[in-house]
């Protein structure tokens, strides 16, 4: 027999499960926001050529060296709920270009809070050895504080996400679109 809440929820068309799902979705959306405002939602880049898109299947390095490739791969990672790996990698690349000590300290702290801290909803998956190294280096951050972690995440994306990306509808559709448009030219 339904309890009073069950009866009320069915009469009102509302369930506690719906409320919990809405709360979870709201929290998930909030967790996707990053403190590093300098990382654009999408890198500025030219439309990739068919040869470039085909080259991404030959080499993960080619994909990651291409702004258009990173954008498409990032879109794919978002569908797998692992976009934070690309965001972390991009943040590390940006940190390496910094020379100003104060800016390096600030960006390193933000990277740590956004991606390394166990309290972060966007925490990247790192082994304990790399975490310990980062914790030591954070005492005196440099533009290379996260190099070991960045390599570990790059390797993870290469071995884990990249093969699925090559078989994804996102990549196959893009490949078909650029091949089709070039044959029309």
């Amino acid at each position: 027999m339904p309890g009073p809440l069950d009866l009320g929820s069915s009469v009102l068309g509302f369930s506690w499960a719906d409320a919990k799902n809405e709360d979870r979705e709201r929290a998930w959306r909030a967790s996707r926001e990053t403190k590093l405002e300098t990382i654009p939602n999408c890198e500025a880049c030219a439309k990739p050529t068919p040869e470039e898109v085909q080259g991404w299947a030959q080499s993960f390095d080619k994909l990651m060296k291409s702004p258009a490739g990173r954008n498409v791969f990032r879109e794919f990672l978002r569908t797998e709920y692992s976009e934070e790996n690309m965001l972390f990698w991009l943040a590390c690349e940006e940190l390496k270009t910094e020379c100003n000590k104060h800016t390096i300290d600030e960006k390193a702290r933000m990277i740590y809070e956004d991606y390394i801290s166990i309290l972060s909803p966007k925490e990247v998956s790192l082994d304990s050895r790399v975490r310990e190294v980062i914790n030591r280096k954070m005492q005196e951050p440099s533009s290379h504080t996260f190099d070991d972690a960045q390599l570990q995440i790059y390797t993870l994306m290469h071995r884990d996400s990249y093969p699925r990306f090559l078989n994804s509808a996102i990549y196959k559709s893009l490949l078909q679109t650029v091949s089709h448009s070039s044959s029309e030219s």
Side-chain angles (χ1 to χ4, degrees):
M1 176 164 180
L5 284 177
D6 295 335
L7 178 62
S9 66
S10 63
V11 169
L12 297 173
F14 170 83
S15 75
W16 292 108
D18 291 339
K20 286 180 183 173
N21 285 339
E22 285 178 25
D23 287 345
R24 271 193 217 112
E25 190 170 322
R26 201 175 299 115
W28 180 82
R29 265 194 227 109
S31 76
R32 306 312 285 176
E33 296 168 6
T34 180
K35 291 180 179 86
L36 293 169
E37 300 299 329
T38 56
I39 296 176
N41 212 13
C42 197
E43 290 180 81
C45 61
K47 182 180 175 188
T49 65
E51 295 77 23
E52 185 179 6
V53 175
Q54 290 165 354
W56 300 341
Q58 297 163 7
S59 159
F60 184 63
D61 291 334
K62 284 183 182 179
L63 174 75
M64 292 297 283
K65 287 178 182 168
S66 161
R70 289 191 300 267
N71 284 340
V72 175
F73 188 54
R74 181 174 166 187
E75 182 182 331
F76 169 74
L77 291 173
R78 191 175 297 133
T79 68
E80 294 210 327
Y81 303 99
S82 59
E83 180 185 22
E84 64 276 358
N85 290 332
M86 178 63 81
L87 293 173
F88 171 70
W89 188 87
L90 289 168
C92 292
E93 286 297 292
E94 185 178 306
L95 179 64
K96 289 178 187 177
T97 67
E98 289 298 334
C99 297
N100 180 290
K101 176 71 174 132
H102 176 74
T103 306
I104 289 171
D105 288 350
E106 184 64 21
K107 284 188 177 184
R109 186 186 59 75
M110 288 190 291
I111 291 170
Y112 187 90
E113 288 175 8
D114 279 345
Y115 305 108
I116 307 301
S117 170
I118 59 171
L119 301 174
S120 172
K122 294 185 308 271
E123 177 189 7
V124 293
S125 180
L126 299 170
D127 66 39
S128 60
R129 181 196 63 80
V130 169
R131 282 185 185 283
E132 288 171 16
V133 168
I134 290 171
N135 287 333
R136 278 196 306 275
K137 289 182 174 182
M138 283 301 292
Q139 302 302 315
E140 199 60 42
S142 77
S143 58
H144 297 281
T145 295
F146 302 102
D147 284 359
D148 290 346
Q150 186 185 22
L151 177 60
Q152 195 168 83
I153 293 303
Y154 186 89
T155 303
L156 175 71
M157 291 189 295
H158 184 191
R159 290 186 181 154
D160 187 50
S161 304
Y162 176 63
R164 287 196 304 277
F165 166 73
L166 294 177
N167 290 312
S168 71
I170 290 172
Y171 178 68
K172 288 179 177 179
S173 172
L174 176 64
L175 193 57
Q176 188 174 15
T177 301
V178 297
S179 297
H180 182 73
S181 65
S182 74
S183 65
E184 289 179 351
S185 301

